[in-house]
Amino acid sequence: VAKRILGRCLVCRKKEKKTAGQAMGMLPTFKMPACSPFTACGVDLMGPYLVHEERSKKVWYNVWATCYTCFSSKACAFVLSTGYSALAFLRAHGRFTNTYGTPATCVVDHGSNILAAAFRPDWQQVAGAAGMSGTRWLVTPKGAPWRAGQAERHIGLCKRILDRLLKGGTFSGTFEELEALLARCAWLLNSRPLGFRTFTDADFSLLCPNDVLLGRAARTNPP
């Protein structure tokens, strides 16, 4: 009876207020263990960008960039594709796996093209042709894009770098020029310091994703 009366009294409830602790969600299992770069990664698409053919500026077409972000090393990579379809995505993913290896886990948002690539009826045949066998695909629920937020964050940073490299203008070049520009953006993103290693009180070294990808300290510009 006393607790019921205290619960109804606004003055008592105000005096006995208690601060609530912050609700923290558990990290996914694929983000917790230490693993090689791009073993567990997020995948998202960026674009479209208008490019023209090498020999003629009269023929223009749209291309999309597939962003891969590593949950372990925080590294990122961009691969261009000539379409916004499942087949175009699989071709771009095949180019990525040929460079960085086959990921064990890929987290994608609820995009229709990626879902068509991951769950099409002839998936086993496409997976063998694209070198994607052994990859576990995790699709975020509808209305929850923040679950693949690391890829979204890398795309936002890449757009800011592109805006600075293009000096606020719009890209108007070829497929190869845009591919080189995105490679430059990936280099800059992978050169950002994530931590440091101390040797003495006055001697330390910054650590960045390029150190993990290249296996050496990468402080200079690429050739």
Side-chain angles (χ1 to χ4, degrees):
V1 177
K3 290 183 179 180
R4 184 168 63 250
I5 295 175
L6 289 175
R8 295 176 180 176
C9 179
L10 296 179
V11 177
C12 296
R13 290 169 59 182
K14 184 177 180 181
K15 290 182 178 180
E16 299 295 331
K17 61 181 182 297
K18 296 180 181 179
T19 58
Q22 185 176 2
M24 301 293 293
M26 299 297 293
L27 285 176
T29 55
F30 54 82
K31 287 188 178 183
M32 297 178 65
C35 55
S36 302
F38 294 109
T39 300
C41 58
V43 183
D44 204 353
L45 294 178
M46 179 177 67
Y49 293 96
L50 197 61
V51 300
H52 64 81
E53 290 189 352
E54 184 72 27
R55 298 182 179 180
S56 174
K57 291 187 177 182
K58 296 182 180 181
V59 181
W60 294 79
Y61 57 95
N62 289 326
V63 296
W64 284 262
T66 306
C67 175
Y68 293 86
T69 174
C70 176
F71 291 130
S72 178
S73 63
K74 304 301 185 292
C76 66
F78 297 94
V79 183
L80 278 182
S81 61
T82 56
Y84 195 68
S85 63
L87 182 58
F89 166 74
L90 290 175
R91 291 173 179 171
H93 186 78
R95 293 166 58 193
F96 170 80
T97 56
N98 290 333
T99 303
Y100 297 100
T102 302
T105 304
C106 283
V107 181
V108 297
D109 60 2
H110 220 86
S112 59
N113 60 326
I114 299 181
L115 288 181
F119 302 107
R120 58 190 306 168
D122 57 344
W123 173 241
Q124 297 296 332
Q125 179 181 358
V126 175
M132 295 170 58
S133 57
T135 301
R136 181 181 58 154
W137 292 89
L138 301 178
V139 183
T140 60
K142 291 183 178 180
W146 57 85
R147 296 197 178 184
Q150 190 167 319
E152 296 281 353
R153 180 58 177 164
H154 273 136
I155 288 178
L157 292 174
C158 180
K159 290 181 178 180
R160 292 179 59 182
I161 294 176
L162 283 175
D163 185 66
R164 292 188 177 185
L165 292 178
L166 298 175
K167 298 181 180 179
T170 304
F171 177 82
S172 59
T174 63
F175 183 93
E176 291 78 9
E177 291 173 345
L178 180 58
E179 194 172 36
L181 192 61
L182 289 177
R184 177 62 177 170
C185 293
W187 175 271
L188 293 174
L189 286 173
N190 293 335
S191 298
R192 69 194 189 282
L194 300 177
F196 63 93
R197 179 183 179 185
T198 57
F199 302 98
T200 62
D201 293 339
D203 189 11
F204 65 95
S205 176
L206 296 176
L207 299 177
C208 67
N210 273 334
D211 298 336
V212 181
L213 295 178
L214 302 178
R216 59 181 175 84
R219 297 290 173 260
T220 59
N221 293 332

